[in-house]
Amino acid sequence: AGTGDTGVIYRIKFVSSSSQAINEMEALYNSNNGEITSLALDVGGNLYFGTAGKAGVYRIDPSGTLKTLYEPQLQAVYRLVIEEGNLYAATGDTQRQGIVYRITLSGDESINRVLEAEQTQILGLCVGPKGRLLACTGNGAALYELKLPFNQTGTFESDVFDAKDVA
C-alpha cells in the first residue's frame, strides 16, 4: 500500500488469501519526497512505484534494493501498468502535456515516449480488450487507445516539395 503526503510504502501480509484480516504490516520504503501515487508488481516480485511532488519511477527488488528507473521533469507519475515485459508510466504536469512512457524491463531498461497528449495530465492507464493500452486524461477529458505491441520498425512518407532547382 502506498501513502499520500508521507510517501511510505507498506507491505501488508494477510492471514490467508480468503481472509481480509491483516496479519502483519511493515514499512517497506519511505520516499521522504512526496506522495506514492501508483504501485505495480511484476511476476518476479519486483515492486514498481510512481511518485508525485518529485516525479519518479522506481523499483524495489525482492531483496529490498531500490533502483531509480526514471525521473521525468514533470510533477507526477499518476499510474503504472505492466504488460508484456514493459512498464508504462502515465505522467502529468499543470504546465506541460501529459506523457506516457514505456520502460523496457528486460535488458537496458530503455525509456520511450509512446503518447504525448494535448491534455496536461494522464490520470488513468490500463490494458483493455484486444491488447490495447487505454490512457485517459483529466482536464480536457480525452481517451487515447494505443495498439500493443508497438512496431519496432516503420516507414514515414512525407509530402514532396519541389525546390524547382537542382539541389
Side-chain angles (χ1 to χ4, degrees):
T3 61
D5 296 338
T6 59
V8 178
I9 297 174
Y10 291 97
R11 175 181 289 146
I12 301 171
K13 295 182 182 179
F14 296 99
V15 174
S16 70
S17 60
S18 63
S19 173
Q20 295 300 313
I22 296 174
N23 186 26
E24 181 180 321
M25 186 167 82
E26 65 177 315
L28 183 64
Y29 176 74
N30 186 346
S31 73
N32 289 321
N33 66 357
E35 300 174 63
I36 306 297
T37 54
S38 57
L39 299 170
L41 188 66
D42 71 11
V43 294
N46 295 296
L47 177 67
Y48 300 88
F49 64 97
T51 60
K54 180 184 178 196
V57 178
Y58 308 91
R59 178 182 63 216
I60 300 174
D61 69 19
S63 71
T65 303
L66 175 73
K67 180 176 182 181
T68 300
L69 297 180
Y70 188 53
E71 290 179 332
Q73 298 301 308
L74 297 166
Q75 291 175 341
V77 174
Y78 290 111
R79 184 77 168 101
L80 297 174
V81 171
I82 297 172
E83 179 67 18
E84 295 184 10
N86 295 301
L87 177 67
Y88 295 93
T91 67
D93 193 314
T94 57
Q95 303 299 316
R96 296 179 236 164
Q97 67 190 142
I99 300 169
V100 175
Y101 294 94
R102 177 184 61 194
I103 302 169
T104 306
L105 297 179
S106 60
D108 64 355
E109 294 176 339
S110 63
I111 300 165
N112 299 291
R113 290 180 181 211
V114 296
L115 174 63
E116 295 179 359
E118 293 178 19
Q119 297 76 16
T120 58
Q121 298 170 322
I122 300 175
L123 300 175
L125 195 62
C126 69
V127 177
K130 300 180 183 175
R132 308 280 185 176
L133 183 67
L134 303 173
C136 63
T137 67
N139 297 337
L143 176 65
Y144 294 89
E145 180 182 49
L146 304 166
K147 183 181 177 195
L148 297 178
F150 297 110
N151 291 335
Q152 298 299 314
T153 61
T155 59
F156 175 78
E157 186 175 322
S158 67
D159 294 329
V160 176
F161 297 101
D162 189 354
K164 297 189 178 159
D165 289 318
V166 176

